[in-house]
Amino acid sequence: MKRAVAAITVLAVLAAAGGIGWKVYQKMHAAKGPDGRKGAVAVAVEVARVRKGTVHDIAQFTGSLYARSEFVVAPKVAGRLVRLLADIGDRVENGQLIAELDSEEYAQQVQQAQAELEVAKASVEEVRSQLEAAQREFDRVEALRAKKIASESELDEARSQYRMALARQKLTQSQVAQKEAAYRAAEIRLSYTKIHARWTGGSDVRVVGERFADPGSMLAANDKIVSVIDVDELTGVIYVTERDYAKISVGQAVEISCDAYEKPFTGRIVRVAPLVRQTSREARVEVEIPNKEWLLRPGMFIRARIELARHDNSTVIPYAALANRDEKQGVFLADLEKKTAKFVPVTLGTKEGDIVQVLSPALEGYVVTLGQHLLEDGTTIRVASGPDVAAEDRTAASQPVTAERTGAGAEVGS
């Protein structure tokens, strides 16, 4: 008996709970829509106005900085480095003395060459005297022969001695020229022990970038001592993909930023490689960057922003308004009078941050930016509390909209 009573009590409780649940379900699904008919509960959403604005297709690339000009100062002759007059970070002027080698051996060679030159010049004077004597003797014998006093053999002997003296004069003159050349060469080698930094073009003042040798080092010819770089103007090297290659041209402005400074720098494209590398499918682009304050340095990592295209009077919506239905990307247009939402597939263009360009179709009005995941085509909506839609209408025309694409990636929807 007690078991029967208990069973009846449980059934009664379950029935009461079921009845309450059914009434709640009926109340939830029997709510009246805005047109007075029963239907689904209106979904609370937030909306944003479809706007017109200028879309800048700006791509951001990464790269590195290089000196506009860099060369290595090295000796032309071997020797021991005795003085280093410029070190890392020092500013140097064109023609400035950078280093000196031990010059004792080369100075001795100059003295030896000079002595040999003096000997050669003395030989010339001696041969000149011999030539004058031979010429006088030849003239005398020739005159005697004309008078039939001297024999023909005597004349031939005098002529032969004169010609030999003339040949010796030419030989000694050639030896003098040879010794003069050797003397000048020795002087030049001696001058090479003083090593200067010389260049043509660019700025008159440059800076020492690296040091490769220290005083006391034994150097061979062409061994590196220091490198000198021109940082008045730097070259930024970036690589662009095939997608952006056709949009890059010489003369385009570039905005440069780096981690070392908060302020941006400006540059312009000066060279575009005529080929795309097969391995990376990228092309080299060089950017000229003025650097009069010497703030930027070769080797720095940079980010380069380039405006590839500009689209005026474009349709722009918040990126948050996008939704997918039936494998199509689109937005829900909000009809604020009928309180309904309509799904419209869209084709997108450039995107940056929370803004995206709509290429087609031509949208007007408002799009749902929050709550669209609960919507279907024709769903009843109610605009939740949020920004004043009327105020947004009044200020939409006065506030410019700019959308950008950063990076070398593909556009949205591509």
Side-chain angles (χ1 to χ4, degrees):
M1 182 67 180
K2 291 182 178 180
R3 290 181 179 179
V5 172
I8 294 173
T9 302
V10 172
L11 292 174
V13 172
L14 292 175
I20 293 173
W22 176 250
K23 289 187 176 293
V24 172
Y25 176 81
Q26 285 183 321
K27 288 183 178 180
M28 290 180 62
H29 291 272
K32 292 183 178 181
D35 56 357
R37 297 179 299 174
K38 290 184 178 181
V41 175
V43 177
V45 298
E46 289 186 4
V47 298
R49 192 175 187 277
V50 178
R51 302 172 65 180
K52 293 289 186 179
T54 299
V55 178
H56 300 272
D57 185 4
I58 297 180
Q60 179 170 288
F61 306 91
T62 57
S64 299
L65 291 178
Y66 295 87
R68 176 175 60 176
S69 174
E70 178 176 2
F71 65 91
V72 173
V73 177
K76 294 183 178 181
V77 294
R80 182 172 60 88
L81 182 62
V82 294
R83 294 181 65 194
L84 183 61
L85 304 176
D87 212 330
I88 295 174
D90 291 345
R91 299 191 178 200
V92 295
E93 297 181 357
N94 196 355
Q96 179 177 327
L97 181 64
I98 297 294
E100 292 184 12
L101 299 180
D102 183 4
S103 61
E104 183 177 352
E105 179 181 354
Y106 296 100
Q108 183 64 34
Q109 291 176 0
V110 170
Q111 292 178 1
Q112 181 179 351
Q114 186 176 15
E116 292 176 352
L117 176 60
E118 294 300 326
V119 171
K121 289 181 177 179
S123 298
V124 170
E125 293 300 323
E126 181 183 1
V127 170
R128 181 181 295 114
S129 298
Q130 295 175 356
L131 176 63
E132 290 176 354
Q135 184 174 10
R136 286 195 300 271
E137 177 64 16
F138 173 68
D139 292 339
R140 186 184 69 81
V141 174
E142 188 177 31
L144 292 174
R145 177 59 182 160
K147 296 177 181 179
K148 306 295 183 177
I149 299 175
S151 65
E152 187 68 28
S153 61
E154 289 176 331
L155 178 61
D156 292 340
E157 178 66 19
R159 184 184 292 112
S160 177
Q161 291 297 325
Y162 170 70
R163 289 176 178 176
M164 288 177 61
L166 187 62
R168 284 195 296 271
Q169 183 188 44
K170 292 181 179 179
L171 176 61
T172 54
Q173 288 175 343
S174 299
Q175 290 175 340
V176 168
Q178 183 182 24
K179 297 302 180 181
E180 286 179 343
Y183 175 66
R184 288 194 297 269
E187 284 188 323
I188 291 174
R189 285 194 296 271
L190 177 61
S191 69
Y192 286 162
T193 61
K194 296 183 182 298
I195 305 164
H196 299 77
R198 291 189 174 91
W199 62 85
T200 56
S203 59
D204 293 331
V205 179
R206 300 189 180 184
V207 64
V208 176
E210 294 181 87
R211 183 186 71 249
F212 304 102
D214 297 311
S217 302
M218 289 300 299
L219 302 177
N222 298 321
D223 278 353
K224 298 178 181 179
I225 299 178
V226 295
S227 66
V228 177
I229 58 177
D230 183 2
V231 294
D232 272 5
E233 193 171 77
L234 298 180
T235 299
V237 177
I238 60 176
Y239 292 89
V240 301
T241 61
E242 290 183 64
R243 178 184 183 87
D244 298 321
Y245 182 76
K247 303 176 184 178
I248 296 292
S249 60
V250 173
Q252 280 182 303
V254 182
E255 181 181 289
I256 303 295
S257 62
C258 62
D259 294 334
Y261 304 101
E262 294 183 358
K263 71 172 186 176
F265 300 84
T266 58
R268 65 183 184 89
I269 295 175
V270 291
R271 283 172 287 276
V272 179
L275 55 86
V276 177
R277 292 182 175 179
Q278 293 181 355
T279 54
S280 62
R281 302 301 177 186
E282 293 178 329
R284 179 186 174 105
V285 176
E286 295 186 3
V287 181
E288 185 180 81
I289 307 167
N291 188 39
K292 296 299 182 182
E293 298 179 357
W294 288 21
L295 297 178
L296 298 174
R297 299 292 180 174
M300 280 186 172
F301 175 83
I302 59 170
R303 288 172 290 275
R305 298 176 71 250
I306 306 174
E307 181 177 298
L308 303 178
R310 176 189 175 101
H311 308 285
D312 294 323
N313 198 32
S314 296
T315 301
V316 179
I317 62 172
Y319 185 72
L322 297 178
N324 289 294
R325 294 292 185 272
D326 298 330
E327 298 183 355
K328 294 181 180 180
Q329 191 174 41
V331 296
F332 281 95
L333 284 177
D335 189 330
L336 300 185
E337 294 182 357
K338 297 181 179 179
K339 305 297 184 183
T340 58
K342 179 183 179 181
F343 182 75
V344 178
V346 295
T347 302
L348 304 177
T350 304
K351 181 259 178 184
E352 163 62 14
D354 58 353
I355 299 297
V356 63
Q357 175 192 17
V358 177
L359 300 178
S360 65
L363 299 181
E364 292 183 353
Y366 294 87
V367 292
V368 176
T369 58
L370 183 62
Q372 67 268 40
H373 63 287
L374 300 174
L375 302 180
E376 296 295 339
D377 195 18
T379 301
T380 301
I381 61 172
R382 63 182 180 86
V383 179
S385 59
D388 186 356
V389 173
E392 187 176 321
D393 282 339
R394 290 192 299 270
T395 60
S398 62
Q399 296 180 353
V401 177
T402 300
E404 301 177 354
R405 170 175 71 86
T406 58
E411 295 179 349
V412 177
S414 61

